[in-house]
Amino acid sequence: LRDYGDYFIIYATIELDIQYDNYQFEIRGGVVGIDINTNHIALAEIDHHGNLIRSKVYSFSLEKKRSSQRRWIIEQVVKEVIGYCVKVNKPLIIEQLDFEKT
């Protein structure tokens, strides 16, 4: 977790055993994906066919909080998300968005 004043960046690193097939990769058991927002993290777990198994929202409020309080709140939510991934034995997938003007 990195605090950049106006925003935070969450870094997560996991090791995967990925099989490549014609430049595409397959994750056999499904994945857990998250969508990070200003007041919540939305989680979706899918099976190996892409079917939704479970979804969950981790809500939080960072308004009127000091930097150290915001950091602690975000760390707790991240621990819950990572704990869920460990529990279901699936990798965490996060979309990499580019908000640069073109």
Side-chain angles (χ1 to χ4, degrees):
L1 179 66
R2 291 246 170 100
D3 183 353
Y4 288 91
D6 293 339
Y7 62 95
F8 288 88
I9 294 182
I10 299 169
Y11 295 93
T13 303
I14 54 175
E15 294 181 24
L16 298 175
D17 182 17
I18 298 175
Q19 294 192 359
Y20 291 90
D21 181 36
N22 295 332
Y23 305 105
Q24 299 292 321
F25 67 88
E26 174 187 351
I27 299 176
R28 295 178 187 243
V31 299
V32 174
I34 60 171
D35 180 37
I36 302 171
N37 298 281
T38 58
N39 63 351
H40 71 278
I41 291 180
L43 176 145
E45 177 188 357
I46 61 171
D47 67 14
H48 64 286
H49 294 294
N51 298 314
L52 181 65
I53 296 173
R54 191 169 293 109
S55 64
K56 183 172 182 168
V57 174
Y58 297 90
S59 298
F60 52 85
S61 175
L62 302 177
E63 288 186 44
K64 300 181 182 177
K65 302 283 194 283
R66 293 187 317 267
S67 176
S68 60
Q69 292 172 314
R70 291 193 311 264
R71 181 182 193 92
W72 186 87
I73 290 167
I74 292 170
E75 285 176 353
Q76 298 313 304
V77 173
V78 169
K79 285 179 185 178
E80 286 188 51
V81 169
I82 298 301
Y84 182 82
C85 293
V86 170
K87 177 182 170 187
V88 298
N89 195 30
K90 292 184 179 175
L92 177 64
I93 304 297
I94 303 171
E95 183 177 19
Q96 183 175 353
L97 302 174
D98 183 2
F99 293 104
E100 271 189 44
K101 291 183 180 182
T102 55

